[in-house]
Amino acid sequence: MAIPGLIDPVPVPRPEAEAGARVELVGKSKEQIREALAEAGMDARQAKLRAKQIWHQIYNRGATSFEVMSDIAKPHRAWLAERFSVGRPEVVVEQVSTDGTRKWLLKTHDGHDFEMVFIPDADRGTLCVSSQVGCTLNCRFCHTGTMRLVRNLDPSEIVGQVMLARDSLGEWPSQPEGRLLSNIVMMGMGEPLYNFDNVRDALKIVMDGDGLALSKRRITLSTSGVVPMMARAGEEIGVNLAVSLHAVTKEIRDEIVPLNRKYGIEELLEACAAYPGANNARRITFEYVMLKDKNDSDEDARELVRLIRKYKLPAKVNLIPFNPWPGAPYDTSTNERVERFSDIIFEAGISAPIRRPRGRDIMAACGQLKSAAEKKTRAELDRIAAEKQAQLEQAAA
Ligand code: SAH
Ligand code: SF4
């Protein structure tokens, strides 16, 4: 059976801001803030000083208006407020799961829905951040992959998610100790390496010690295997890498992660072996979604071990029980199967914990994210996948 879906991005570019609209400063670097001020007519010395103050107010204090920037003289604040904004993505709905997981449905200024999830644990709190509205890759087990609308989120919308979470948790000013929000995973909607520049620029601000001040060791970027961007991700971003492997044979991976038809398993693992900064202290995580009778046999587990050894990868495996969604073509592997799979890998000396699903009751678990406005039947999903394919062919022509 031909698997519908495309293997390359066809993102819709972000629309230009309307003429006369105020310029958003959240998501800009200090240098970009300075440039924006200068462009608006502020003289060079002033712009440099103000950029420093505004940067601190935005990213350290969490200011959401110029009004509260008390270190800036009142008339200046009014001047700034006329031209600039320090906003957040709009919150459409916030839901809390029985296990404490929170999910926010957010809206961009041009009306696209996307989602963000916060997962509290005893020793940490992880924010799952989206990089795109929808995703151009149609992994067969992923709800986000069935969305029609796709555009890249820009740095203000990516950093904006982290800032919104801090607002909601009351974690301003940025403090190094005792944060609830301690970790970030780029595992929400979208393929972060298909939105490389924006993700990099946003994470730079998140990692900046004078910015949101989260260590790169506490940030993980997950990719479905965009091989040509992986080296740059290591060099220019330098966060932990997670790779959505999910299968060990060409046949099965081609089916469930169609990007595999373009960048195969061997190529992907070579890129992992070359990932800058990976070592035994900072391992690469292989994500493996457990699909009943599809990729969950003992043989699959042993092949996974063989591949990790062959490429000498400093790796750990994260086994993710498949999270179902309406119309999904797969079932969740039995608990016994997942445990056996995990044991085989553990016995080979590779860590293979089973990820406990979180927030399933509010459709916040891995691969369940999809805008509320986008609920569709299987027939519609197939039609959308066919449309995406046609778009791709058109783009390639
Ligand atoms: N696009 C990136 C990051 C977002 S997905 C990527 O694919 O890596 C985050 C993780 O959730 C990925 O490993 C993804 O494969 C997994 N996932 C997707 N759908 C899932 C589902 N229904 N159940 C369990 N995990 C799923
Ligand atoms: Fe996109 Fe990741 Fe979902 Fe695949 S698993 S469709 S790459 S979000």
Side-chain angles (χ1 to χ4, degrees), residues 123-144:
D123 58 339
R124 67 172 72 184
T126 307
L127 188 70
C128 181
V129 171
S130 291
S131 57
Q132 297 182 309
V133 178
C135 185
T136 52
L137 296 165
N138 289 55
C139 300
R140 284 285 278 175
F141 49 83
C142 174
H143 207 197
T144 306

Side-chain angles (χ1 to χ4, degrees), residues 183-339:
N183 293 59
I184 289 180
V185 292
M186 295 302 299
M187 295 188 187
M189 291 176 161
E191 168 48 58
L193 295 189
Y194 273 155
N195 185 17
F196 184 83
D197 290 0
N198 291 343
V199 167
R200 176 200 54 208
D201 293 352
L203 289 181
K204 286 236 151 109
I205 293 170
V206 173
M207 293 185 283
D208 191 314
D210 295 325
L212 298 182
L214 259 139
S215 153
K216 66 176 183 182
R217 297 200 149 59
R218 293 183 169 273
I219 302 174
T220 301
L221 184 149
S222 175
T223 179
S224 54
V226 184
V227 168
M229 298 310 287
M230 284 169 57
R232 276 188 70 194
E235 282 153 17
E236 296 178 36
I237 311 175
V239 296
N240 303 320
L241 181 68
V243 172
S244 294
L245 191 62
H246 303 319
V248 290
T249 65
K250 174 166 169 53
E251 191 203 344
I252 304 295
R253 197 163 190 268
D254 275 358
E255 175 191 327
I256 66 179
V257 184
L259 183 67
N260 194 64
R261 298 177 202 166
K262 185 151 193 184
Y263 310 115
I265 294 175
E266 309 274 317
E267 222 182 313
L268 175 58
L269 296 179
E270 274 167 27
C272 290
Y275 186 73
N279 54 46
N280 281 331
R282 285 187 83 199
R283 291 166 189 273
I284 294 174
T285 303
F286 288 105
E287 295 160 282
Y288 200 99
V289 61
M290 298 293 292
L291 305 173
K292 188 173 186 187
D293 298 333
K294 187 45 79 178
N295 64 354
D296 63 352
S297 69
D298 287 2
E299 211 186 335
D300 289 316
R302 285 193 286 266
E303 177 61 6
L304 181 54
V305 170
R306 190 189 69 82
L307 286 171
I308 290 172
R309 287 191 177 147
K310 177 178 173 196
Y311 289 92
K312 299 191 176 60
L313 295 166
K316 59 183 178 221
V317 177
N318 226 320
L319 298 175
I320 318 175
F322 169 64
N323 293 309
W325 39 271
Y330 301 110
D331 281 328
T332 311
S333 304
T334 61
N335 287 343
E336 299 76 58
R337 194 73 310 268
V338 180
E339 272 159 30

